[in-house]
Amino acid sequence: MAHQIECGKYTVERIPYAEEQQELVTEDVFIARIAPLQTSRILQFAGKSLPKLDGIEHVKRVKRDTRAGNTNGLLVVLCQCKYLDRSQFDAVVQDTEWADLEILVVKVPSNPPYTSAQFEQWSQVWPVTYRPPLKLKKPEFSSDEKEYVEMCLQAAMQLKSNAADTENRARAVVMGKLQTRKIVAQAADTTSESGHPLRHAVMNCIALVADREVARLTAEPIDDNNTGESNSVPVKRSHELCEDRDVGGYLCEGLDVFAVREPCVMCTMALVHSRIGRLFFVEQSHSGGISRYAMHSHKALNHNFTAFVCHLS
């Protein structure tokens, strides 16, 4: 059951990472039946003469042979079948001390387990190692943090009431900073008013943060216009994303984003590039960057963040 946190009027639930939902995928490997005293020598032979294991470092190299009547035999993984077919494999081992070994082809898990349930299931196929990821730790919010999350969600909902409907993308977005429990910036979708197709709420909010950062660095006042408004600190101090921030830092690094509706793919990618810390949204979208593509945890992207869906209690 998903872990839920009560934040005032909202129930917050973490959206699983893509790896948590992956199914078991297997691939073929060559294994040999050996006696325990042969383990070191055959692994040295495999390391020198056979293709190295690629991408299956989580697979344990040796396991006990559980055949009936076999109490001390071992099974050892030699190499992956995708790199050698059987005739090529036999050509490598012929004229060696391993030529008469019983060689078998078995399946092993292709991907490392991400959850304890996957570990238990996949270990039935072949033993694997498991290191619980730190980000799978159940989220725990302090009472102050719960009030902060509710405040930011309420601010987004209030902003929504003054914004035009945008179908399947966020139309009201608030950015907050957990350390100060303050709203950094907020913006609504202005595609209709501006006639510009990219003026989504997320893009406007990021632009507002960027304008304030420019103002902080240049000490020049800015005009919010209709890109959003801020309840944060004076212009010269800006939103103070982090202590001793340098110009090379990422724009929204570590910030929390609160959206009424799940951001679209374009906006989700903008949040990835901005290095946000967490995303909270109330309404899921079948075409959103999280629900459809799990972009908050996509392995091909160079930044991941935690995403939460929020339900009115």
Side-chain angles (χ1 to χ4, degrees), residues 206-278:
I206 293 174
L208 179 56
V209 173
D211 288 343
R212 294 187 179 282
E213 182 64 8
V214 170
R216 183 185 73 85
L217 296 173
T218 60
E220 295 177 356
I222 61 171
D223 181 6
D224 285 337
N225 292 321
N226 62 354
T227 59
E229 52 184 283
S230 173
N231 296 321
S232 65
V233 293
V235 171
K236 285 189 179 181
R237 291 174 58 197
S238 186
H239 56 278
E240 300 177 350
L241 295 182
C242 58
E243 296 297 326
D244 300 321
R245 176 192 172 101
D246 60 22
V247 179
Y250 292 99
L251 190 60
C252 301
E253 187 168 8
L255 291 185
D256 293 325
V257 176
F258 301 84
V260 174
R261 185 171 289 160
E262 178 182 347
C264 68
V265 173
M266 177 188 72
C267 290
T268 305
M269 182 58 76
L271 295 177
V272 170
H273 288 316
S274 298
R275 298 297 198 272
I276 67 163
R278 300 180 297 182

Side-chain angles (χ1 to χ4, degrees), residues 106-296:
V106 302
K107 295 185 180 298
V108 298
S110 297
N111 301 312
Y114 202 77
T115 67
S116 57
Q118 290 172 344
F119 171 66
E120 292 175 6
Q121 178 192 1
W122 298 358
S123 293
Q124 300 301 312
V125 178
W126 185 275
V128 293
T129 59
Y130 176 58
R131 299 178 180 85
L134 291 176
K135 62 183 181 180
L136 282 190
K137 183 180 178 182
K138 289 184 178 180
E140 296 180 359
F141 293 1
S142 66
S143 57
D144 286 346
E145 186 172 1
K146 290 178 181 179
E147 292 178 3
Y148 155 77
V149 169
E150 182 184 23
M151 175 193 71
C152 293
L153 286 170
Q154 288 290 86
M157 294 299 286
Q158 180 62 38
L159 187 59
K160 165 203 169 184
S161 64
N162 300 321
D165 188 16
T166 55
E167 297 181 353
N168 290 322
R169 63 175 184 271
R171 62 176 180 263
V173 170
V174 167
M175 286 189 177
K177 185 177 181 184
L178 175 60
Q179 292 83 346
T180 61
R181 307 290 199 272
K182 290 182 179 180
I183 292 176
V184 167
Q186 55 189 31
D189 185 288
T190 58
T191 52
S192 296
E193 301 91 318
S194 66
H196 197 301
L198 302 184
R199 299 296 185 195
H200 297 196
V202 168
M203 305 301 283
N204 285 343
C205 210
I206 293 174
L208 179 56
V209 173
D211 288 343
R212 294 187 179 282
E213 182 64 8
V214 170
R216 183 185 73 85
L217 296 173
T218 60
E220 295 177 356
I222 61 171
D223 181 6
D224 285 337
N225 292 321
N226 62 354
T227 59
E229 52 184 283
S230 173
N231 296 321
S232 65
V233 293
V235 171
K236 285 189 179 181
R237 291 174 58 197
S238 186
H239 56 278
E240 300 177 350
L241 295 182
C242 58
E243 296 297 326
D244 300 321
R245 176 192 172 101
D246 60 22
V247 179
Y250 292 99
L251 190 60
C252 301
E253 187 168 8
L255 291 185
D256 293 325
V257 176
F258 301 84
V260 174
R261 185 171 289 160
E262 178 182 347
C264 68
V265 173
M266 177 188 72
C267 290
T268 305
M269 182 58 76
L271 295 177
V272 170
H273 288 316
S274 298
R275 298 297 198 272
I276 67 163
R278 300 180 297 182
L279 169 65
F280 299 79
F281 56 85
V282 179
E283 302 171 7
Q284 288 187 281
S285 170
H286 69 278
S287 60
I290 306 300
S291 297
R292 184 164 185 176
Y293 297 107
M295 293 171 65
H296 65 303

Side-chain angles (χ1 to χ4, degrees), residues 27-34 42-43 46 50 53 56 59-67 74-81 86 89-90 93 98 101-108 125-127:
E27 63 179 273
D28 293 336
V29 296
F30 289 111
I31 67 167
R33 282 196 166 101
I34 61 170
I42 197 168
L43 288 177
L50 295 171
L53 300 186
I56 58 169
V59 172
K60 290 190 176 182
R61 204 69 191 259
V62 179
K63 80 165 188 173
R64 188 171 298 281
D65 188 352
T66 56
R67 285 184 307 172
L74 299 176
L75 300 175
V76 57
V77 176
L78 298 177
C79 73
Q80 292 155 281
C81 295
R86 186 56 190 260
F89 179 88
D90 291 340
V93 299
W98 313 113
L101 280 182
E102 183 180 0
I103 304 298
L104 304 171
V105 174
V106 302
K107 295 185 180 298
V108 298
V125 178
W126 185 275

